[in-house]
C-alpha cells in the first residue's frame, strides 16, 4: 500500500483558495487518489477522486502531476464551514481483486478564520 | 434510505466486559469496514469484509472479532474490553465495482465507546 504524507495542519481565511498537497511516492500503476473530509463527531465524507491530470467537481479540484507522486486538493473560496480534517488515500481499492484495505492516514486539519 | 446505521451510539463498559457493535447498510454494498478513531487522531482500520462470508484483518485487529452476518450486517465484538479500546468506532461500506476505481466509502454516525 502506498504511504501518504500530508501537512498536519493548515490555516486560511474565508474567501481564499486553499491547496492541500499529499505526497505518495510509492503509488502503484493501478492506484487511484481519493480525498475525504471529516467534520467533528462525524464520519468522513468523500470529496473527490482522480487518477491523473485534473478532476473537478462542485466542491473541489484535484491536481495530479504526470509522475503521480503527489496530488493537490484545491478548495476554491473557502468558508468557515470548510473547517475540517482532510484525508488523502491511495491504493487498496475494491473491485480490482476483491476489496482490499482502505487505510486512512492522519489527515490535514484545516482551520478557516473569518 | 438510512445509509449506514450503527448501534449503539454511546456505550460505557467496565474493563473485562464484552459487547457487540452492530452495523447495517441498506445500499446493497458488497464491502464493509470497521474503523476506530482516537481523539485528535486519524482513522485506523480494524477489520473489513470484502463480501458476505469473508473477513480480513486491518491495521489494529487485536482485541476485536467481527462477523459478516449477511450482506447487510457487519458486527464488531469486544470480548474483554480494555481502557485502550476507548474510542469512536465507525462502520463504513462501499460497492465493489468491476473496474479499478474505488467505490465511495459511506460512513455511519459512529459509536462512542468508553471503557472504565
Amino acid at each position: 500500500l502506498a504511504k501518504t504524507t500530508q501537512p498536519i495542519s493548515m490555516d486560511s481565511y474565508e474567501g481564499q483558495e486553499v491547496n492541500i498537497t499529499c505526497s505518495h511516492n510509492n503509488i502503484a500503476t493501478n492506484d487511484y487518489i481519493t480525498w475525504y473530509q471529516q467534520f467533528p463527531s462525524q464520519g468522513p465524507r468523500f470529496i473527490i477522486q482522480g487518477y491523473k491530470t485534473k478532476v473537478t467537481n462542485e466542491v473541489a479540484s484535484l491536481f495530479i502531476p504526470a509522475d503521480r507522486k503527489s496530488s493537490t486538493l484545491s478548495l476554491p473560496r473557502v468558508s468557515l464551514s470548510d473547517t475540517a480534517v482532510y484525508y488523502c488515500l491511495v491504493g487498496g481499492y475494491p473491485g480490482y481483486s476483491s476489496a482490499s484495505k482502505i487505510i486512512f492516514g492522519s489527515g490535514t486539519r484545516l482551520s478557516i478564520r473569518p | 434510505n438510512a445509509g449506514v446505521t450503527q448501534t449503539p451510539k454511546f456505550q460505557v463498559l467496565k474493563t473485562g466486559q464484552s459487547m457487540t457493535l452492530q452495523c447495517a447498510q441498506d445500499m446493497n454494498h458488497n464491502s464493509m469496514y470497521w474503523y476506530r478513531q482516537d481523539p485528535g487522531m486519524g482513522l485506523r482500520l480494524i477489520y473489513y469484509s470484502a463480501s458476505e462470508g469473508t473477513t480480513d484483518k486491518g491495521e489494529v485487529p487485536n482485541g476485536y472479532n467481527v462477523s459478516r452476518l449477511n450482506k447487510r450486517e457487519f458486527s464488531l465484538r469486544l470480548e474483554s474490553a480494555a481502557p485502550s479500546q476507548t474510542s469512536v468506532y465507525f462502520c463504513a461500506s462501499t460497492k465493489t465495482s468491476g473496474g479499478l476505481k474505488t467505490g465511495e466509502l459511506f460512513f455511519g454516525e459512529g459509536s462512542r465507546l468508553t471503557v472504565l
Side-chain angles (χ1 to χ4, degrees):
Chain A
L1 298 172
K3 178 179 170 57
T4 60
T5 302
Q6 306 175 231
I8 293 174
S9 63
M10 295 180 65
D11 296 322
S12 188
Y13 293 91
E14 282 191 295
Q16 300 294 306
E17 178 184 76
V18 172
N19 296 312
I20 305 174
T21 297
C22 179
S23 297
H24 28 79
N25 291 322
N26 296 324
I27 189 169
T29 303
N30 295 330
D31 286 342
Y32 273 72
I33 300 154
T34 311
W35 286 79
Y36 283 83
Q37 174 191 56
Q38 185 182 25
F39 297 116
S41 301
Q42 295 185 24
R45 182 181 71 169
F46 174 93
I47 301 176
I48 197 166
Q49 182 182 75
Y51 183 80
K52 61 180 179 180
T53 62
K54 177 183 175 182
V55 179
T56 297
N57 61 24
E58 64 279 5
V59 176
S61 294
L62 179 59
F63 298 92
I64 306 169
D67 66 6
R68 304 199 329 121
K69 293 184 183 299
S70 66
S71 59
T72 299
L73 175 72
S74 181
L75 304 173
R77 299 184 61 79
V78 293
S79 64
L80 295 176
S81 63
D82 291 314
T83 294
V85 179
Y86 293 82
Y87 296 95
C88 165
L89 280 67
V90 174
Y93 295 115
Y96 184 55
S97 58
S98 80
S100 335
K101 297 178 181 181
I102 300 182
I103 303 295
F104 285 73
S106 299
T108 297
R109 191 171 300 273
L110 176 64
S111 296
I112 306 301
R113 302 177 181 179
Chain B
N1 280 347
V4 179
T5 303
Q6 294 182 229
T7 55
K9 289 186 169 50
F10 300 93
Q11 184 72 50
V12 178
L13 292 176
K14 294 181 180 178
T15 298
Q17 287 185 318
S18 62
M19 76 158 299
T20 299
L21 299 177
Q22 307 286 355
C23 176
Q25 51 88 11
D26 61 2
M27 296 173 283
N28 200 34
H29 285 170
N30 310 68
S31 306
M32 298 186 73
Y33 301 78
W34 275 107
Y35 293 89
R36 63 175 286 176
Q37 185 171 37
D38 299 333
M41 308 291 287
L43 283 80
R44 291 185 291 171
L45 180 64
I46 306 172
Y47 272 94
Y48 65 101
S49 171
S51 60
E52 183 179 351
T54 68
T55 60
D56 284 286
K57 295 178 180 179
E59 302 172 274
V60 289
N62 291 345
Y64 304 95
N65 287 302
V66 290
S67 295
R68 184 72 182 269
L69 304 171
N70 47 55
K71 191 172 185 179
R72 291 187 63 249
E73 299 172 290
F74 188 38
S75 64
L76 178 71
R77 182 162 178 83
L78 287 70
E79 290 291 352
S80 179
S84 61
Q85 293 179 303
T86 294
S87 191
V88 179
Y89 292 84
F90 288 102
C91 177
S93 69
T94 188
K95 186 173 181 62
T96 305
S97 67
L100 300 179
K101 196 171 184 179
T102 184
E104 175 183 344
L105 270 176
F106 291 83
F107 282 83
E109 295 183 347
S111 298
R112 295 183 178 276
L113 175 66
T114 301
V115 183
L116 302 176

